[in-house]
Short mmCIF file of all heavy atoms in Angstrom, two decimals:
data_model
loop_
_atom_site.label_atom_id
_atom_site.label_comp_id
_atom_site.label_asym_id
_atom_site.label_seq_id
_atom_site.Cartn_x
_atom_site.Cartn_y
_atom_site.Cartn_z
N GLN I 122 12.38 16.17 -8.92
CA GLN I 122 13.25 17.21 -9.46
C GLN I 122 13.69 16.81 -10.87
O GLN I 122 14.83 16.41 -11.11
CB GLN I 122 14.45 17.42 -8.54
CG GLN I 122 14.07 17.90 -7.15
CD GLN I 122 15.26 18.16 -6.26
OE1 GLN I 122 16.36 18.46 -6.74
NE2 GLN I 122 15.06 18.08 -4.94
N MET I 123 12.77 16.91 -11.80
CA MET I 123 12.97 16.47 -13.17
C MET I 123 12.28 17.45 -14.12
O MET I 123 11.47 18.27 -13.69
CB MET I 123 12.35 15.07 -13.37
CG MET I 123 12.81 14.02 -12.39
SD MET I 123 11.80 12.52 -12.53
CE MET I 123 12.54 11.51 -11.25
N SER I 192 -13.10 -1.21 -9.58
CA SER I 192 -13.99 -0.07 -9.77
C SER I 192 -13.99 0.86 -8.55
O SER I 192 -14.03 2.09 -8.69
CB SER I 192 -15.41 -0.55 -10.05
OG SER I 192 -15.91 -1.35 -8.98
N LYS I 357 1.07 -33.55 -4.73
CA LYS I 357 0.87 -33.44 -6.18
C LYS I 357 1.50 -32.16 -6.71
O LYS I 357 2.15 -32.16 -7.75
CB LYS I 357 -0.63 -33.46 -6.49
CG LYS I 357 -0.94 -33.44 -7.98
CD LYS I 357 -2.44 -33.50 -8.21
CE LYS I 357 -2.76 -33.46 -9.71
NZ LYS I 357 -4.23 -33.48 -9.96
#
Side-chain angles (χ1 to χ4, degrees):
Q122 298 182 26
M123 307 170 181
S192 59
K357 184 179 179 182

